[in-house]
Amino acid sequence: MKYTIEDIVKNDLCIGCGVCVSESKDSSMIWNKYGFLVPDITKSFNKDAIKVCPFNPQPDKEIEDEDKIAQYFMEDTPYKDHDIGHYHEIYVGYSNKFRPTSSSGGIGTYIVEQLLQQKIVDHLFVVKEKDGEYTYQWFDSIEDITATSKTRYLPVSLEKLFLEIDSKPGKVAVTGIPPFLKAIRLKQYYYPKYQEKIPFLIGIICGGWKSKFFTDYLAQKAGIKGEYSRQEYRIKDEASYALDYSFGAYDDNESFHQMKMKLAGNMWGTGLFNANASDFSDDVTAELGDISLGDAWINPYMKDGKGTSLFVTRSVLADRLIQEGIQKGKLNLEKLPIQDFIKSQLGAFRHRRVGLKLRLKELKKSDKIVPFKRNRFLVKAPIEYQIVQKQRRIIRYLSLKLWQEHKDVDKFEQQIESLLKGLNRKTVWYHRFQKIRRKLGLKTI
Ligand SMILES: Cc1cc2nc3c(=O)[nH]c(=O)nc-3n(C[C@H](O)[C@H](O)[C@H](O)COP(=O)(O)OP(=O)(O)OC[C@H]3O[C@@H](n4cnc5c(N)ncnc54)[C@H](O)[C@@H]3O)c2cc1C
């Protein structure tokens, strides 16, 4: 049987990248009932539209996974690692100019500024505010470059990228989370004219793709009863540690409401409001970007509330831009051993990779279609981790369902509390078992 985009959406494997919309005459991205953007599958798609889908269960052999795609696009990359893919160098630090106005160390903004300034590209396709909301947009103003800064934890889509790119003179750089980059690479593979047209991709490491419900929840939790706009997800507290950031948004009366994220509890390690497809992406570090950006969630950097970037250069061009920045004194960076980089994303590696086989089994058991995944990551998880994973999957699904039903912070928290406590208990047991395994000299994860 040959699968289609319709099957991807119906099986809840759509991440909402929107690239398939360019493979349809009249489809567009629409909001589904759980707060995610998905293509309108009541419209018709080209017969091979699924080829650009990052979760295609039947990809063409030559570019069947991130390894093969990287092999095709990253010939000039000197190193290859089992966990982080092709790379040139790993760095930690910040941009002197953009750190204060960025989510992390400001390397994202520094890179896009350089791409425009050095005329490597003529346009950016990046996430930016428009009428109080955030969407992917075309942008080319070096003077206003900080308007592109900051992390936006809500569904956005590349829908317009391939619908409009042909009318944009010159070259384009795009930012995106791992499955979005994969979709762009697939499109470039099947339409080689886009290889030259898009010479640079900025990967955003992503611990979980959240529903719009996540932001609705945070806005209510911060005290906004009705509509909100211009939300800020990463308000730094320079006097505190890096993870001690706040969420804030404007209400209808233009009052700004702000809340420390720690009041919302553990939003990233629990599966809350996550997209199902996000659980099936085994690319943790945005392996298909020229550069891949993340946060330095390791000491001593974590102690610094000003924020520190941790990132990988993969192409020669990306590394040149970074080296120039260091030499000109614009970037304050040091090289980081690969083990420290992996350590900073350990939770994501464990979740995405060790838990993957179990989740694929779950799909097969429930007669759902199964995306194609790299065999080398399909490992058997220890039983104590399987238990944690199962609870996370329940929380993921129920958090979306409960918010859809109530849209009320108090009712939501009342109903999700026991599940979160259950996850906590299971996680404690998981750590205990791992400790025992370690003492016995057995393999741990
Ligand atoms: C959903 C999500 C989950 C993330 N999870 C992790 C994680 O688990 N671990 C980790 O280390 N880092 C994670 N990050 C990345 C991190 O939060 C920072 O975005 C990254 O380190 C860049 O910081 P910066 O200061 O260099 O970027 P800035 O200088 O602030 O620039 C940010 C850049 O990111 C782009 N951008 C913002 N939001 C989006 C979006 N939704 N989709 C595509 N592009 C976007 C902007 O267009 C801009 O170019 C996540 C980011 C997102 C959006």
Side-chain angles (χ1 to χ4, degrees), residues 218-250:
L218 293 180
Q220 260 195 40
K221 183 102 184 143
I224 300 179
K225 296 282 173 253
E227 296 293 308
Y228 59 86
S229 65
R230 285 170 289 150
Q231 66 274 17
E232 291 290 334
Y233 294 88
R234 297 275 297 264
I235 303 169
K236 294 174 184 175
D237 181 346
E238 295 198 0
S240 186
Y241 52 95
L243 267 173
D244 194 20
Y245 58 83
S246 297
F247 169 87
Y250 287 89

Side-chain angles (χ1 to χ4, degrees), residues 128-145:
K128 194 181 148 288
E129 189 249 345
K130 188 182 178 190
D131 302 329
E133 300 189 348
Y134 297 100
T135 59
Y136 265 105
Q137 288 166 60
W138 297 101
F139 192 81
D140 53 21
S141 162
I142 299 175
E143 299 72 47
D144 296 335
I145 201 72

Side-chain angles (χ1 to χ4, degrees), residues 102-109 112 126-127 136 148-154 156 175-177 204-209 234 268 293-295 297 309 345:
S102 284
S103 283
S104 185
I107 301 298
T109 312
V112 290
V126 286
V127 178
Y136 265 105
T148 69
S149 304
K150 296 194 180 168
T151 300
R152 313 298 181 188
Y153 297 130
L154 89 167
V156 283
T175 63
I177 62 160
I204 306 287
I205 293 175
C206 173
W209 194 235
R234 297 275 297 264
W268 294 98
L293 308 171
D295 292 290
W297 297 136
S309 291
Q345 308 293 332

Side-chain angles (χ1 to χ4, degrees), residues 73-79 86-89 91 111 120 199-200 289-291 312-324:
F73 284 96
M74 298 184 174
E75 272 177 345
D76 64 355
T77 306
Y79 309 112
H86 289 62
Y87 74 102
H88 210 297
E89 197 53 81
Y91 299 91
I111 281 288
I120 296 163
F200 205 94
D290 288 81
I291 191 165
V312 195
T313 54
R314 300 188 192 272
S315 66
V316 170
L317 172 57
D319 206 63
R320 171 173 72 73
L321 294 175
I322 292 301
Q323 283 299 326
E324 278 172 13

